[in-house]
Amino acid sequence: MHDATQRIMDRVIQLDSNQTEFIQAVTSFLNSVDKLVDDIPQLIYHKVLDRIVEPERAIIFRVPWVDDDGQMQLNRAFRVQMNSALGPYKGGMRFHPSVNLSILKFLAFEQTFKNSLTGLALGGGKGGSDFNPKGKSDGEVMRFCQSLMIELGRHIGEDTDVPAGDIGVGGREIGYMYGQYKRLYNKSVGILTGKHPSFGGSYIRPEATGYGLVYLSAAMLDAEGKNLQDKSCLVSGSGNVAQFTTEKLLKMGAKVLTMSDSSGVLIDPSGIDEEKLAFIKTLKNVRRGRIAEYAQKYKEATYIAHNGSATSNPLWDVKADYAFPCATQNEINTEDAKHLVANGIQLVGEGANMPTTLDAEQILMDNGVLLAPGKASNAGGVAVSGLEMVQNSQRLQWTPAQVDAQLLTIMKNIYSNISSAAEKYSTKNNFVDGANIAGFIKISDAMLAQGYV
Ligand code: NDP
């Protein structure tokens, strides 16, 4: 790293030494864009790199709500408005007990480059709360969402900041938040994406992240003369991204051997077919149950509960051709990466944000595994959110086929942009560098043009 870049890294560590996830995301980014510093010295002189690692704004607020027993409950919520150089802040809301400022800053940072890669006019942001929707009634979730929107509402807007879903925030939560916003401001405008199609949602938004991941991975494989037909795949998670990744993999002729949730791992050597996937969708989206139930119904499958002290995840030690981490950050560590390599994995397509640790990433790339980094490969979700914003502002609704076709085009363009950036500034097939650099160049042009703000 150049001294000037290293100083920026040191400052981030000095200012927020406890924000480990954010530091990890900045390290990966600075390692890549440092390769541009000789070509574009303005990045240092105009302090573009200094500014890009600092959120434009971070809002922290309390969310008081009353549970079904009449007890008062309190949660903390956040909205990180990271960068608006390209357009309104855009990025999901996460409801999970682990949520804190470090996690949301890392997600907002990643989101900024991801949104740039989509080619749409979207800035980067992210938000959420340490509220745990698990085990809560619909009424409790509704009251929490309504209370959260009383504060969040004043910071967002269709031209300012447009949140969407993420872990723990799906159609139900978006609906409750949207309803409360409308009640507070008396406006039917696109202040959230991921809405139901009956009130301004885009078709294909729920599917978009998973479908987009498979489209980008297929493009990457195609360039190597490979494809998905009859290939075995590992998928982790069983939420929105995992479900639609599995659905599209099945449509493209692949076989999916695994899924998981925060309690454990499911391994089905006979493959998770359409019927079994439908069972998982009802289990997770309607009954909000545990994946362990799958192994009770389908005896050919094995369920392994997570062991808190284990150093590796058995899901990543199943022999397969391709792997798609779709649960959460840092779910593939160095041990897992070694298992994947030993088992001959050829591609890791990241559906989750930053699911691979920095060291694990290096092991995969050193061993010739194609690594599709989340900020490129899971960009389909925000891309269709961007298309939802366009439909909302025109008061139009496109057909599922129209949206899916645009999603495919966007993912192919992202592949083409990150692979050419990798070849030009780094090495062929270093898609981590390619995604960081291609995403960053557009933002830095916009920041330079807009002055020191
Ligand atoms: P969901 O809440 O729908 O699903 C998350 C899944 O991951 C669930 O199966 C959950 O298990 C599991 N999970 C969550 N935390 C952990 C953990 N600490 N350890 C093990 N398993 C865990 O979220 P999404 O599918 O929307 O998001 C998944 C990932 O994809 C996240 O990294 C998110 O940031 C990223 N992403 C999502 C986008 C979207 O459009 N939704 C867009 C781009 C990226 P359980 O069922 O037990 O809760």
Side-chain angles (χ1 to χ4, degrees):
M1 232 186 234
H2 290 76
D3 288 349
T5 321
Q6 186 63 51
R7 274 197 293 279
I8 295 165
M9 189 71 246
D10 293 345
R11 184 163 181 273
V12 168
I13 295 169
Q14 186 210 335
L15 281 178
D16 293 307
S17 57
N18 58 340
Q19 295 184 355
T20 49
E21 294 85 0
F22 180 60
I23 290 170
Q24 180 181 341
V26 173
T27 306
S28 164
F29 165 77
L30 287 181
N31 276 336
S32 298
V33 299
D34 188 54
K35 299 180 171 111
L36 296 176
V37 164
D38 289 331
D39 289 343
I40 320 178
Q42 301 95 300
L43 299 178
I44 300 294
Y45 301 134
H46 291 268
K47 292 190 171 280
V48 171
L49 289 175
D50 298 49
R51 279 183 288 151
I52 211 160
V53 298
E54 196 63 36
E56 290 179 15
R57 194 174 299 103
I59 300 140
I60 304 183
F61 55 100
R62 67 177 182 227
V63 184
W65 58 281
V66 178
D67 69 18
D68 287 347
D69 298 326
Q71 300 298 312
M72 290 180 279
Q73 301 286 344
L74 190 66
N75 286 95
R76 174 177 278 184
F78 308 79
R79 187 72 190 164
V80 178
Q81 298 181 331
M82 196 77 202
N83 193 301
S84 61
L86 299 182
Y89 309 106
K90 181 91 198 87
M93 295 289 287
R94 176 177 289 194
F95 294 170
H96 192 273
S98 64
V99 161
N100 58 34
L101 192 56
S102 169
I103 288 184
L104 293 179
K105 276 177 67 183
F106 118 65
L107 287 166
F109 189 67
E110 295 280 292
Q111 191 82 44
T112 301
F113 307 106
K114 179 188 313 192
N115 293 1
S116 164
L117 286 171
T118 65
L120 302 170
L122 301 170
K126 200 85 187 187
S129 171
D130 58 5
F131 173 75
N132 186 358
K134 272 203 200 83
K136 303 286 191 305
S137 69
D138 281 355
E140 289 175 324
V141 171
M142 182 178 76
R143 289 194 293 281
F144 171 79
C145 288
Q146 291 176 336
S147 180
L148 178 134
M149 188 49 85
I150 287 175
E151 176 61 32
L152 183 66
R154 72 185 83 201
H155 304 290
I156 61 174
E158 72 270 39
D159 296 320
T160 311
D161 184 355
V162 185
D166 191 74
I167 290 179
V169 179
R172 175 181 62 166
E173 292 74 16
I174 293 289
Y176 292 152
M177 288 193 278
Y178 182 77
Q180 181 73 345
Y181 182 91
K182 198 155 49 63
R183 182 188 189 196
L184 289 166
Y185 295 91
N186 196 21
K187 282 204 277 188
S188 286
V189 285
I191 45 88
L192 289 166
T193 58
K195 301 183 292 297
H196 190 273
S198 63
F199 54 91
S202 176
Y203 287 112
I204 306 293
R205 175 60 188 91
E207 293 87 346
T209 308
Y211 280 18
L213 167 64
V214 178
Y215 291 153
L216 185 124
S217 303
M220 217 171 242
L221 290 169
D222 188 49
E224 300 292 309
K226 297 177 180 174
N227 59 42
L228 286 156
Q229 187 65 43
D230 298 324
K231 299 299 188 307
S232 52
C233 299
L234 310 177
V235 173
S236 67
S238 50
N240 171 276
V241 181
Q243 289 171 16
F244 289 106
T245 297
T246 299
E247 182 171 295
K248 187 54 86 178
L249 285 172
L250 296 182
K251 283 197 182 125
M252 309 259 298
K255 184 174 175 183
V256 176
L257 303 178
T258 62
M259 286 179 89
S260 65
D261 66 14
S262 54
S263 307
V265 165
L266 183 76
I267 302 169
D268 186 344
S270 64
I272 299 170
D273 59 17
E274 267 98 2
E275 185 225 307
K276 293 168 170 176
L277 178 61
F279 171 81
I280 290 176
K281 284 187 182 174
T282 309
L283 173 72
K284 298 308 273 187
N285 308 348
V286 181
R287 291 197 286 119
R288 299 184 191 273
R290 312 311 301 153
I291 199 93
E293 270 190 48
Y294 179 107
Q296 286 157 12
K297 182 169 165 68
Y298 301 106
K299 300 291 178 208
E300 59 276 30
T302 307
Y303 173 75
I304 307 170
H306 286 309
N307 167 0
S309 54
T311 53
S312 64
N313 181 343
L315 190 152
W316 305 123
D317 202 6
V318 175
K319 191 164 174 51
D321 297 301
Y322 310 135
F324 298 90
C326 296
T328 193
Q329 63 272 1
N330 291 331
E331 55 172 312
I332 298 181
N333 63 22
T334 48
E335 284 303 302
D336 298 319
K338 285 178 195 160
H339 290 152
L340 287 167
V341 167
N343 283 323
I345 212 84
Q346 296 161 51
L347 170 137
V348 172
E350 297 184 342
N353 283 307
M354 207 169 75
T356 315
T357 65
L358 287 174
D359 291 341
E361 211 171 76
Q362 203 55 53
I363 292 173
L364 294 172
M365 289 198 292
D366 287 349
N367 285 280
V369 177
L370 294 172
L371 180 64
K375 61 171 74 73
S377 51
N378 70 30
V382 73
V384 172
S385 274
L387 300 180
E388 184 170 322
M389 289 164 69
V390 175
Q391 293 170 75
N392 288 168
S393 58
Q394 298 180 332
R395 303 251 181 247
L396 282 174
Q397 190 167 49
W398 301 332
T399 64
Q402 284 174 309
V403 179
D404 198 22
Q406 292 199 55
L407 172 64
L408 179 61
T409 305
I410 289 172
M411 297 315 294
K412 284 185 172 170
N413 284 343
I414 292 178
Y415 169 70
S416 150
N417 289 340
I418 65 173
S419 58
S420 10
E423 282 195 39
K424 183 164 178 195
Y425 296 105
S426 175
T427 44
K428 186 174 183 293
N429 287 356
N430 186 332
F431 300 108
V432 173
D433 278 352
N436 280 327
I437 291 171
F440 170 68
I441 285 177
K442 189 173 162 197
I443 299 168
S444 64
D445 285 350
M447 287 177 72
L448 283 166
Q450 290 172 31
Y452 192 61
V453 292

